[in-house]
Amino acid sequence: MTLRQACAALAAFCAVLFFACAAFAPPAAAAECTPARYGTPGCPYPSLGSNENFRPNTDRPGSDYTSFDINGQPVDCQNACSNDARCRAWTWVKPGVQGPKARCWLKSAEPREIANNCCFSGRNPNPIQKPIKTTGKAKVPAAGLSADAQAILNAHNAYRAKHCVGLLAWSAALATQAQNWANKCTMNGNLFAHSGFNGYGENLAWGGGLGAAAAVNLWYAEVSKYNFSSPAYSNAVGHFTQLVWRATTQVGCGVATCGGQRLWVCQYTPPGNWNVNNPGVMAANVPAACK
């Protein structure tokens, strides 16, 4: 074998060895497919099926009544719409389009769908039915209630009807529990103390001669501090959000005179102000006034 032939044979062997190594080389690690990368190569939009209730790469501009930043995926925006009595359609906007986070827009009508790869959108096929309109204060009569109990139940339901969430039923068990706590007149410094929230929500109010409606009015007044465009929980609005919390279905209250102050204790189930840091929870449970 000549030197030239030997060099050619060595070159051929090296070429075969290179392709063999390449074939067995481990693939490069793929970047995580996060919402910020949806629509880029190797990271398709997640989909529950392309239908008018959940459609990728579409928008429904118009008829917006609220919007909020959301850390989750399009389905979380869809769920927020499903849990809101006012919502008829929704749009989830991809992170980086209207800010660093995704944004969810809830709509009071069903705007026309248009193609737009910024977004997911859909309609709400089964909107929650609004309570039947009543004249005057909304009432859920309950047999055997005292005048105070009926008054505070009516006050609750008048405000809940204003926000188109379900009216509350009276719970005798919660009322007994609330009355027992009110009777203790327990203080925490200069304020009356909560009972401990053992699986229920609780609102307190007190004042000289404070009546049932006036107590509920104090709680509802916190609505002025609540931002429906960017829903978030804080202690400054906790009485209001519990008062109109959509998922709550029952209330029971008690009242006692403590050192010249009339102390009202109301307890709720299921409790409000629950899982408030989860995306969409506040928007789904604390809708803006609808009438």
Side-chain angles (χ1 to χ4, degrees), residues 122-252:
R123 56 184 292 275
N124 185 2
N126 299 302
I128 299 170
Q129 296 300 311
K130 295 181 180 180
I132 297 173
K133 291 185 178 180
T134 60
T135 56
K137 293 184 177 181
K139 297 183 179 181
V140 178
L145 289 190
S146 67
D148 275 340
Q150 189 66 64
I152 203 161
L153 177 61
N154 291 347
H156 274 82
N157 283 332
Y159 281 126
R160 290 179 68 86
K162 182 176 180 178
H163 287 258
C164 290
V165 296
L167 306 185
L168 298 179
W170 188 260
S171 166
L174 287 177
T176 297
Q177 195 168 257
Q179 186 62 59
N180 289 340
W181 182 250
N183 292 341
K184 294 179 184 295
C185 298
T186 304
M187 301 291 293
N188 180 11
N190 295 325
L191 306 176
F192 287 100
H194 281 286
S195 61
F197 308 107
N198 295 315
Y200 49 84
E202 185 173 83
N203 278 349
L204 306 181
W206 59 89
L210 187 68
V216 179
N217 289 345
L218 287 175
W219 298 331
Y220 187 80
E222 293 175 0
V223 67
S224 64
K225 304 172 185 175
Y226 190 78
N227 185 352
F228 291 97
S229 298
S230 183
Y233 174 80
S234 74
N235 290 338
V237 298
H239 299 96
F240 159 69
T241 52
Q242 171 60 90
L243 176 61
V244 300
W245 194 264
R246 185 190 302 282
T248 296
T249 59
Q250 296 182 53
V251 64

Side-chain angles (χ1 to χ4, degrees), residues 276-291:
V276 294
N277 293 321
N278 287 358
V281 168
M282 295 301 295
N285 282 284
V286 188
C290 58
K291 55 186 174 181

Side-chain angles (χ1 to χ4, degrees), residues 251-265:
V251 64
C253 304
V255 60
T257 300
C258 303
Q261 302 283 312
R262 206 160 187 233
L263 170 65
W264 289 90
V265 178

